Amino acid sequence: MDGITFREALLRGDREAAESMLQAGAPGQLKNEKNALLRELTDGHLRGEIPFCLLTAAAQAACAFPLENRPFIACCGGVAGNTSAIGKGYMLMLLRAWGVPALDLGVDVPADVFLDAAMAHHLRYIICVGFSAADADFIQTLHRRAAEHGIREQFRLVLCGASLTPETLAALPLDYPDSRAAAIAEWMVDTWTM
């Protein structure tokens, strides 16, 4: 691989090189290197020291790791009214890079679809992707319906991508107060026993 290290391949966003190195052996060691780099880049990005594009490049290259055959622990979808797949796709890419098995629900997803997925797969996390204060009402509805079904304690609820004030986020029945995709992905890795 023209003399580059695995870390350099990830930093370049060179998924092909990462895949070649994985096939050459030592996947356990490379997984540890990948996770250490993702943590370093995520923490730097959240502090405003690492650009979004560098984390993105490394994460897409880190997707070279095959997902282990595990049941889904999370679902991710754009809330009803959100027809853009960009935020959902980014969140799912970060989760895939970390090795978190997540179900893609698509976009414009009603609350009952999130809840049906949580019940059918015994999910531990529901990730709602939104944009604005209008999506805060969706979170309230999802929380209320989950409580009515007696399953609200089964999962942790997060809102990704919505541009809300810290006060608005704190007033919602969320289990993590940050709406940034990188922060949510790292928190899930830290709270999920792999």
Side-chain angles (χ1 to χ4, degrees):
M1 287 296 97
D2 58 324
I4 67 169
T5 66
F6 187 66
R7 176 185 173 92
E8 290 168 335
L10 295 179
L11 288 171
R12 289 180 181 184
D14 191 341
R15 188 167 174 170
E16 184 178 331
E19 287 173 344
S20 293
M21 291 177 193
L22 274 168
Q23 291 171 2
Q29 177 187 341
L30 295 178
K31 180 179 178 181
N32 290 339
E33 287 182 40
K34 178 228 0 152
N35 288 344
L37 179 61
L38 286 175
R39 185 160 308 271
E40 175 188 329
L41 294 175
T42 298
D43 292 346
H45 171 66
L46 295 174
R47 288 191 309 269
E49 300 165 359
I50 301 286
F52 172 78
C53 59
L54 186 56
L55 174 60
T56 301
Q60 73 83 25
C63 289
F65 279 84
L67 275 178
E68 296 176 23
N69 189 17
R70 295 184 174 179
F72 295 120
I73 65 149
C75 67
C76 180
V79 302
N82 180 355
T83 58
S84 172
I86 295 169
K88 174 192 64 77
Y90 188 71
M91 184 75 238
L92 287 168
M93 180 195 63
L94 289 176
L95 294 176
R96 172 95 171 71
W98 280 104
V100 176
L103 177 63
D104 182 352
L105 296 182
V107 297
D108 197 17
V109 181
D112 289 338
V113 173
F114 282 99
L115 296 178
D116 290 345
M119 289 186 285
H121 297 281
H122 307 287
L123 301 177
R124 295 177 52 192
Y125 302 90
I126 289 181
I127 306 164
C128 298
V129 180
F131 285 128
S132 67
D135 300 321
D137 292 337
F138 182 91
I139 295 298
Q140 295 287 6
T141 299
L142 180 60
H143 170 77
R144 183 177 35 63
R145 289 188 184 164
E148 290 168 359
H149 284 77
I151 63 164
R152 182 56 184 95
E153 299 303 315
Q154 171 186 319
F155 61 84
R156 294 175 178 188
L157 179 61
V158 294
L159 176 60
C160 174
S163 182
L164 303 175
T165 65
E167 296 78 25
T168 302
L169 280 171
L172 293 174
L174 297 170
D175 294 300
Y176 186 64
D178 201 321
S179 64
R180 295 173 296 174
I184 291 169
E186 185 175 52
W187 169 76
M188 286 177 64
V189 168
D190 289 343
T191 58
W192 171 46
T193 305
M194 290 195 215

